[in-house]
Amino acid sequence: MKISYKWLKEYVDFDLTPQETADALTSTGLEVDALEEVETIRGGLKGLFVGKVLTCEAHPNSDHLHVTTVDLGKGEPQQIVCGAPNVAAGQKVIVADLGCVLYDGDKEFAIKKSKLRGVESLGMICAEDEIGVGTAHDGIIVLPEDAPVGQPAAEYYHLDSDWLIDIDITANRADALSHYGVARDLYAWLTQNGYKTSLHRPNCDAFVVDNHDLPIEVTIENPEACRRYACLSITDCEVKESPQWLKDKLNVIGLRPINNIVDITNYIMMAYGQPMHCFDADMVKGHHIIVKDNNEGKKFVTLDGEEHILGEHDLAICNEDEPMCIAGVFGGKGSGTYETTRNVVLESAYFHPTWIRKSARRHGLSTDASFRFERGIDPNGVIYALKQAAILCKELAGGKISMEIRDEYPTKMSDFPVRLNYEYCDRLIGKRLGNDVIKRIAESLEMKVVKEDAEGLDLLVPAYRVDVQRPCDVVEDILRIYGYNNVEIPTTLKSSLTIAEDADKEYHKENIIGEQLVGEGFLEIMNNSLTKASYYEETGFNAYPWEETVKVMNPLSADLGVMRQTLLFGGLESIVRNVNRKAQNLRFFEVGNVYKYVKEKWSEESPVKAYVQDHHIALWVTGKHIQGSWAHPDEDSSFYELKAYVENILRRIGVPQGLLVCTNSDNNAFDKALVLKTRAGKALVEMGIVNHKVLKSFDIDQKVYYAELDWTGLMKATRKNKLQFHEISKYPAVSRDLALLVDNNVEFAQIEEIARQTDKKQLKRVELFDVYQGKNLPEGKKSYAVNFILQDETKTLNDKAIDAIMQKLIKNLTNKLGAELR
């Protein structure tokens, strides 16, 4: 929000410098992002002076140039060559002295000593448009006789610079989206800090209805969306350029002047925070304004020439035949105010913030008006703004107010009642301010004291303070005016011992795993929990069905329409971005929430139970594992590399051997994948090669290996486990290999499970190191070469003990899987 320092002083009396004003506003919570001196006329007329033409003679080498001598009040007159047809001796003129910089749009040029057709020229006699004081270029500026020679042009034109205060307005401070709104906060700060001040704004005494020649009827068909609608008509207006003072005010804050009527509505909005719209009265067919929704399918062209199709829930300002305006967002083409307009209708209204926000997002429109309506304006400022606009229309356009104000206000919006206890205020702030201070600040913020007793105040908070409806909100308001810096930091710290709960332990483990992955060469990424609906709606993934997707009722865009079920797609977006920038060897990990809608859990008593949120950790590996090494040939990343990273995580968090069962995954988001489940069947880890069709849809030409760990489930599964470390065994391990002939449908995971059930003490590791299918094997059979590592922690294993374990193992594999030794 850009605030003019000079404009601000019209509403509140103060003598603070611009910097002191910025500091005061920041202390009240209106953080000033920038403070910049601005000039009404670019360059501030520096280097321009009032001069007197002493002589004027025809140029010897030109039929249109003149050679003049000009007195600038600083010694010898200066010779200046001038081409204006109206230059003459004796005139008072504006002269650009040597070194002066003039501007032509974005270009600038300095006045230098030069020769024109062989005659030396030491300056320039200026026209209006050349220095920015007007638009005329038919001749030089001729000043009155009493203009003092040598006076700087900035003084002659009473040019004064202004300061632009750029405030970062937070979403809850809709009341500060105007100069008067900022003035209210500054007034409260000045009052609290002992400055003599007053807050004021123009009265409406000049508002008088001139006739009743153009009455306008108003009908509100949707009083929920349009809480208040007021309008009046003004006839015989002359639509023309605004006066300089109005153009200057708008230019300073970055608004482009259009014409006097439109500029008045923009001025009122920036002055008092009430967005307004002006209609050409001839476009209001039937002289009847209807505020309604249910305009679905109707085509509507906005003032910028873009065509929009209205939806069922778009609130529109209509005449008896068609929409004229998307309420609170954008006016329609043809319904605005143009040079041919003579009669106008001024609109001042209060629209429900949610309706305006949805329409603005739906059509991709964002205007100064919608920005304010979306956050909530002052419903009780509607009529004041309308009267002020009407007064200015009479003054600047010569119009006549031609109807009584039509004010449709179906349900009055009241101020917010709040009970504030002094003790509660002091406790929340951490300092006793005193009852008088609390009351004074509340009143300076325009809160009405309905009742006061020894315990506290009964307040009525103005309706424009949509963010102040609870006692804690009032305390926050009081504290920001009192000053956070005025609350002393205590010298003692009161604390109590706390015990680390499960959530703390899980977060600690999460940090440990993050550090481990970074040490293994991973980079952490963070993606939005909101993602594209097309990832789930159009792909048909069996693990991420569209029916289980959590949909956003009011999405900001098509790319943020649903909550993610998996971390997969966000990581693929990050991979695409990096690969497109020549970073192809990537290891990413992300820690984040995933969401699911479980219809079976829904009930009227507790609908929220149907929405499930889990915490996951995901890994992505793609590109080369080794590249450009002198000691090792280039090597592609592989699934086994990813599997090792996952096993390291499981080992680090204390997942015991045998807790998880490994099987093939049927998730069609992968080409091939494994899933680790608990014995109860809950999947906790899934890892594999991302489906090539998915990669193609992301325009990724290299394999991507992906693993997703259900961190919530893993923490539950390992909550009672204690991670213990022990010395490396002093006794050697023994390695034995078996070549097993098994049926084609037998998986290594089955062999591993049987082996671990056979011996849970000495068997330390089971690894598959070869698979063979082909010649010399019976049909329907394959050969697994499996390595078994045996070790006793208390003694050296002898051949007898080793053979006993291996024979028992072979027997179990034969009985349960029909395995044969090759």
Side-chain angles (χ1 to χ4, degrees), residues 405-417:
I405 290 177
R406 182 64 185 265
D407 183 16
E408 290 294 317
Y409 199 0
T411 305
K412 184 176 175 59
M413 299 178 65
S414 304
D415 293 341
F416 308 115

Side-chain angles (χ1 to χ4, degrees), residues 634-677:
D634 288 0
E635 181 181 316
D636 290 333
S637 296
S638 67
F639 169 77
Y640 302 102
E641 179 188 348
L642 175 71
K643 182 171 177 283
Y645 294 134
V646 172
E647 289 177 345
N648 287 343
I649 293 174
L650 297 179
R651 191 177 297 114
R652 189 70 180 268
I653 63 176
V655 176
Q657 289 184 358
L659 176 67
L660 301 179
V661 178
C662 180
T663 62
N664 286 327
S665 171
D666 61 355
N667 185 346
N668 59 356
F670 295 94
D671 280 338
K672 292 182 180 180
L674 297 177
V675 60
L676 303 181
K677 299 180 179 180

Side-chain angles (χ1 to χ4, degrees), residues 186-197:
L186 183 58
Y187 166 76
W189 184 90
L190 291 166
T191 301
Q192 170 59 24
N193 286 275
Y195 290 89
K196 188 176 180 180
T197 184

Side-chain angles (χ1 to χ4, degrees), residues 359-383:
S359 285
R361 298 296 180 274
R362 189 177 298 117
H363 294 285
L365 297 171
S366 181
T367 61
D368 287 328
S370 67
F371 188 81
R372 286 159 176 77
F373 279 126
E374 287 173 23
R375 287 156 177 77
I377 63 167
D378 182 7
N380 299 320
V382 168
I383 300 302

Side-chain angles (χ1 to χ4, degrees), residues 440-459:
R440 182 174 68 247
I441 294 177
E443 289 178 329
S444 70
L445 289 169
E446 298 188 348
M447 300 178 189
K448 297 176 183 176
V449 178
V450 178
K451 178 185 175 183
E452 180 180 7
D453 52 41
E455 284 74 34
L457 303 170
D458 285 341
L459 300 170

Side-chain angles (χ1 to χ4, degrees), residues 262 352 452 781:
V262 175
H352 195 288
E452 180 180 7
K781 296 287 186 176

Side-chain angles (χ1 to χ4, degrees), residues 336-390:
T337 306
Y338 306 94
E339 290 183 2
T340 56
T341 301
R342 289 294 171 264
N343 304 322
V344 300
V345 177
L346 293 178
E347 166 195 283
S348 183
Y350 180 95
F351 301 113
H352 195 288
T354 303
W355 281 75
I356 303 304
R357 182 168 59 252
K358 287 183 177 180
S359 285
R361 298 296 180 274
R362 189 177 298 117
H363 294 285
L365 297 171
S366 181
T367 61
D368 287 328
S370 67
F371 188 81
R372 286 159 176 77
F373 279 126
E374 287 173 23
R375 287 156 177 77
I377 63 167
D378 182 7
N380 299 320
V382 168
I383 300 302
Y384 175 83
L386 189 59
K387 287 183 176 181
Q388 286 296 316

Side-chain angles (χ1 to χ4, degrees), residues 642-807:
L642 175 71
K643 182 171 177 283
Y645 294 134
V646 172
E647 289 177 345
N648 287 343
I649 293 174
L650 297 179
R651 191 177 297 114
R652 189 70 180 268
I653 63 176
V655 176
Q657 289 184 358
L659 176 67
L660 301 179
V661 178
C662 180
T663 62
N664 286 327
S665 171
D666 61 355
N667 185 346
N668 59 356
F670 295 94
D671 280 338
K672 292 182 180 180
L674 297 177
V675 60
L676 303 181
K677 299 180 179 180
T678 63
R679 297 194 178 276
K682 180 175 176 57
L684 296 183
V685 181
E686 197 164 22
M687 53 185 167
I689 308 170
V690 178
N691 189 302
H692 63 283
K693 293 181 180 178
V694 175
L695 297 180
K696 186 176 181 181
S697 68
F698 278 85
D699 201 22
I700 298 175
D701 295 328
Q702 56 194 54
K703 286 186 177 181
V704 176
Y705 305 95
Y706 175 70
E708 188 161 352
L709 293 78
D710 181 350
W711 189 254
T712 303
L714 285 170
M715 290 299 100
K716 287 180 181 177
T718 60
R719 191 163 289 165
K720 295 181 180 179
N721 294 348
K722 286 187 177 180
L723 189 62
Q724 294 181 329
F725 297 87
H726 54 81
E727 288 186 60
I728 297 174
S729 177
K730 300 176 182 177
Y731 304 98
V734 177
S735 175
R736 290 289 185 269
D737 296 337
L738 292 179
L740 300 171
L741 188 65
V742 296
D743 294 337
N744 279 339
N745 61 350
V746 174
E747 298 177 357
F748 169 69
Q750 295 172 271
I751 296 174
E752 183 180 19
E753 184 177 5
I754 291 170
R756 294 198 181 282
Q757 290 174 351
T758 300
D759 189 294
K760 298 181 180 179
K761 188 175 180 182
Q762 274 88 20
L763 184 61
K764 301 301 181 182
R765 197 162 67 242
V766 182
E767 291 184 353
L768 176 69
F769 64 88
D770 188 37
V771 179
Y772 175 70
Q773 287 177 292
K775 294 180 180 180
N776 302 323
L777 291 183
E779 186 177 351
K781 296 287 186 176
K782 61 183 176 182
S783 175
Y784 277 148
V786 185
N787 175 251
F788 301 89
I789 302 297
L790 305 173
Q791 186 178 37
D792 194 318
E793 303 290 339
T794 60
K795 61 185 179 181
T796 300
L797 287 172
N798 55 36
D799 289 341
K800 183 179 180 180
I802 294 169
D803 290 342
I805 294 172
M806 295 304 298
Q807 289 302 320

